[in-house]
Amino acid sequence: MTANEAPDLEAVNARVRAAGLVPRGAFHCEPGDGVPVPAATLVLVGTAGPDGFDAFRASAEWCDAPDPLDRFTERVLEGLARALGAVALYPHRGPPWLPFQRWAARAEAVAPSPIGILMHPEHGLWHAYRGALGFAARLSGVSARGPLPDICGACDGRPCLSACPVNAFTADGYDVAACAAHLASPAGRRCLQEGCLARGACPVAPHARYGPEQVRFHMRAFARARGVEVGREP
């Protein structure tokens, strides 16, 4: 894309897909959005189910400590930003932490789930926002976000809240310390191998569930970030 080309969201999305990641919606920025750079439009980028993870799995950064997924994301998004004349922004850089969940709610029809992960009508809980591209020019093709789904409100019994073996998810929020302590114990091996049992109990979008390798990668990365020694990938 050159300075003489009219910015177009679909062209940006095509470049994101070609780079192996997934376009995750866009919105025109307003003063209260907390975007830290001059930007007229923000395009979110991430993963959905296995889409996006496969490119990381095939990359040079795969399981190359430290922080392989963050470094993969930064390499890809910085390349896209240079090619498209944008600025790359990341949820993993901070403090201060950028309000990616608020941006996601501006870009897509997502709503908070009882365990904190945003519920998506197509991907369920099996998705992530890895970064954003900020454009100084206003992109064409950006449509209004659809209505927010009430998927969790209509869920019978909310099994996600009762599946955690240490009851880390309650009405008061997420007990990160209890979760990390469980993962550090022998009893936490199942969660490390099979993924968060609360997330896995959600019946929405079974087609988008992460595969075993993707689950293990994310759980082990989460554990390491909280000081749990898990060693190398099995």
Side-chain angles (χ1 to χ4, degrees):
M1 184 176 297
T2 69
N4 294 324
E5 291 180 297
D8 176 80
L9 178 61
E10 189 47 48
V12 172
N13 287 346
R15 296 290 289 268
V16 170
R17 294 187 191 99
L21 292 174
V22 180
R24 297 302 314 274
F27 62 91
H28 295 310
C29 303
E30 297 178 356
D33 287 326
V35 180
V37 297
T41 303
L42 209 63
V43 178
L44 271 61
V45 177
T47 61
D51 295 337
F53 186 80
D54 290 342
F56 166 54
R57 178 66 179 81
S59 74
E61 290 88 359
W62 168 249
C63 285
D64 178 20
D67 305 319
L69 182 54
D70 289 345
R71 289 189 293 110
F72 164 77
T73 302
E74 290 181 9
R75 175 174 63 80
V76 172
L77 282 192
E78 293 299 336
L80 285 170
R82 288 192 297 271
L84 297 169
V87 176
L89 303 168
Y90 305 98
H92 59 265
R93 288 186 180 176
W97 310 104
L98 297 178
F100 264 80
Q101 286 210 335
R102 188 182 350 142
W103 293 349
R106 292 268 283 119
E108 296 188 290
V110 293
S113 72
I115 63 173
I117 304 171
L118 292 175
M119 173 60 70
H120 189 281
E122 295 179 20
H123 312 310
L125 302 179
W126 307 101
H127 63 99
Y129 299 92
R130 299 297 311 161
L133 295 169
F135 292 84
R138 188 178 175 92
L139 269 63
S140 62
V142 177
S143 58
R145 184 202 68 193
L148 292 178
D150 188 24
I151 297 172
C152 295
C155 181
D156 185 17
R158 296 193 175 189
C160 61
L161 290 178
S162 58
C164 177
V166 292
N167 298 314
F169 300 100
T170 69
D172 296 326
Y174 173 35
D175 190 339
V176 180
C179 179
H182 177 67
L183 294 178
S185 72
R189 182 169 179 81
R190 181 185 176 193
C191 294
L192 283 172
Q193 292 296 317
E194 299 179 17
C196 171
L197 300 184
R199 191 180 199 175
C202 177
V204 179
H207 64 280
R209 288 175 180 267
Y210 295 166
E213 192 172 39
Q214 189 172 0
V215 162
R216 286 195 300 272
F217 173 84
H218 286 300
M219 286 303 299
R220 293 165 74 87
F222 170 83
R224 287 192 190 100
R226 281 143 189 86
V228 178
E229 178 56 50
V230 295
R232 300 289 294 177
E233 278 287 327

